[in-house]
Amino acid sequence: MRLLLVEDDPLLANGLSAQLEKAGFSVDTARTARDARQLGQQESYRAGILDLGLPDGNGLDVLRQWRTHKVSFPVLILTARGDWQDKVNGLKAGADDYLAKPFQTEELIARLHAIVRRSEGRIMDTLTAGRFELDENRQTLRAGDQTEHSLTGTEFRLLRCLMSRPGQVFSKEQLLDQLYSLDDTPSENVIEAYVRRLRKLVGTDTIKTRRGQGYLFDAASR
């Protein structure tokens, strides 16, 4: 999942990014309200973490502008302000959850998974497509009663993207956008290599190629 982290503290931002990437997220970081507004409106994200205390503006104003421009990804507000009125204002502005500093990274990640689940209409941390089950917490794949397979971070992110919308064709460019942050510059050959690896787990008929278009996950395959 591609995530936008809006945090002006470089130590906190770098530490959080590292932990989130271990948990299967691809992270873009914005340090100012201006960058946050721009990235949120121009890029495609599954979720956002938004600090309210930014050097050039209020995070709530950023959130209101996102919602005004129909930016719909779920947002977790992260701030040192713990007053109940701040929480109410954040939720009214369009936030989906609220976490006050200091916090435990495990709780942050759990809350992120929860708001993403709700945005996708799911109630569990298991993504199911046909006979395949993807455990988002453990980053493992199971096909029916077969052996459970552990996935690397990139394998997990790629498979999750495909399984989240079975039957939808994703271009290589779209997949790269979800797998890597703006600071990374991988080639499209990387997608081909990881698709080959995943096909060894799910079968060649499950991840199909649409020539000139991209790849899709066929949940009805056997």
Side-chain angles (χ1 to χ4, degrees):
M1 288 182 284
R2 191 175 177 197
L3 172 74
L4 176 59
L5 171 62
V6 183
E7 171 59 60
D8 66 313
D9 183 333
L11 290 178
L12 179 57
N14 292 338
L16 267 181
S17 292
Q19 292 298 316
L20 290 165
E21 287 171 359
K22 287 182 181 179
F25 293 93
S26 173
V27 183
D28 289 340
T29 303
R31 303 287 172 83
T32 65
R34 179 177 179 274
D35 289 344
R37 284 192 294 267
Q38 182 176 356
L39 286 174
Q41 292 169 213
Q42 293 181 355
E43 302 294 330
S44 176
Y45 297 104
R46 287 295 182 87
I49 301 174
L50 177 63
D51 183 17
L52 295 188
L54 299 173
D56 60 338
N58 189 320
L60 286 183
D61 292 333
V62 173
L63 180 57
R64 292 187 184 100
Q65 186 167 357
W66 282 348
R67 296 315 190 212
T68 298
H69 287 81
K70 310 302 181 184
V71 175
S72 61
F73 59 75
V75 173
L76 170 66
I77 286 180
L78 183 65
T79 180
R81 306 172 189 175
D83 184 81
W84 69 268
Q85 189 62 54
D86 290 324
K87 297 179 182 180
V88 170
N89 291 337
L91 295 171
K92 284 184 176 180
D96 297 84
D97 202 354
Y98 198 110
L99 188 59
K101 302 174 185 176
F103 57 88
Q104 295 295 321
T105 305
E106 291 82 358
E107 180 181 3
L108 172 68
I109 292 172
R111 287 178 178 272
L112 278 175
H113 281 301
I115 64 175
V116 171
R117 282 201 313 270
R118 291 197 296 268
S119 72
E120 295 178 346
R122 295 186 292 118
I123 60 173
M124 300 294 290
D125 270 336
T126 300
L127 181 61
T128 302
R131 61 193 177 93
F132 298 96
E133 294 183 354
L134 187 66
D135 189 315
E136 296 186 331
N137 288 326
R138 300 169 59 217
Q139 296 188 27
T140 57
L141 172 70
R142 183 186 297 277
D145 296 329
Q146 297 180 14
T147 305
E148 186 176 78
H149 298 280
S150 296
L151 303 173
T152 68
T154 304
E155 288 171 344
F156 169 75
R157 292 194 296 272
L158 175 57
L159 190 56
R160 190 198 184 283
C161 186
L162 293 170
M163 285 182 62
S164 66
R165 295 180 176 84
Q168 176 177 323
V169 177
F170 290 88
S171 68
K172 291 179 182 179
E173 182 178 4
Q174 288 174 319
L175 293 173
L176 286 173
D177 283 344
Q178 290 300 317
L179 293 180
Y180 297 97
S181 68
L182 292 173
D183 294 331
D184 298 319
T185 56
S187 71
E188 292 185 352
N189 293 335
V190 171
I191 298 297
E192 297 175 5
Y194 277 102
V195 166
R196 285 196 297 269
R197 290 168 61 168
L198 288 175
R199 280 173 169 163
K200 293 179 181 179
L201 299 178
V202 302
T204 56
D205 291 336
T206 302
I207 300 179
K208 289 183 163 59
T209 301
R210 288 290 182 263
R211 191 172 299 277
Q213 300 179 52
Y215 302 96
L216 67 83
F217 191 92
D218 183 0
S221 67
R222 295 293 178 183

